[in-house]
Amino acid sequence: QVQLVESGGGLVQAGGSLRLSCAASGRTFSSLAMGWFRQAPGKEREFVAAISWSGDTKYYADSVKGRFTISRDSAKITVYLQMDSLKPGDTAIYVCAARSLRATMIAQDYNYWGQGTQVTVSS
């Protein structure tokens, strides 16, 4: 079993930055691919970014490419999402997810989910 706990959300003005963290516990962290998804009110959950267990492979949604960066620190058992140039459209609950094998952009592929952290971007 894997437990995931997100942190780092908050309220920020458009153009600002936030850094989300996802701390994993309960299983060998280095064997898991990790992903970030988000869900805004009234909208379906959507993929944001994912990273392989090695950290060598990364995927991004087109809407965040060039603005968001996913990374992981295996020693500290944490995955990060650096969010720059934030827009009001980025407002959502951001949720961390984990799965065995390779990283994907499909929510249904992920077995473990955190509770989420709220990100609000004001105009």
Side-chain angles (χ1 to χ4, degrees):
Q1 193 71 9
V2 175
Q3 292 79 43
L4 304 172
V5 179
E6 303 94 336
S7 61
L11 173 65
V12 64
Q13 289 187 333
S17 298
L18 283 174
R19 189 192 197 198
L20 304 184
S21 300
C22 175
S25 63
R27 179 177 166 173
T28 304
F29 180 69
S30 62
S31 66
L32 297 173
M34 307 290 289
W36 285 98
F37 295 80
R38 67 186 182 186
Q39 187 163 16
K43 295 186 178 180
E44 293 187 356
R45 180 169 51 190
E46 64 173 347
F47 169 76
V48 176
I51 187 168
S52 63
W53 69 268
S54 68
D56 292 339
T57 301
K58 301 177 183 180
Y59 300 108
Y60 295 96
D62 288 342
S63 59
V64 306
K65 279 182 181 177
R67 300 189 297 121
F68 291 11
T69 303
I70 190 170
S71 61
R72 66 189 300 163
D73 183 341
S74 296
K76 297 182 178 181
I77 317 177
T78 302
V79 64
Y80 304 98
L81 185 68
Q82 177 67 40
M83 306 187 295
D84 299 318
S85 302
L86 282 161
K87 304 175 181 179
D90 295 318
T91 296
I93 296 174
Y94 283 71
V95 186
C96 176
R99 72 183 301 264
S100 300
L101 304 177
R102 63 183 182 88
T104 77
M105 297 183 284
I106 303 171
Q108 290 84 346
D109 289 343
Y110 288 79
N111 307 108
Y112 307 103
W113 293 85
Q115 293 298 310
T117 184
Q118 177 70 47
V119 171
T120 303
V121 184
S122 63
S123 58

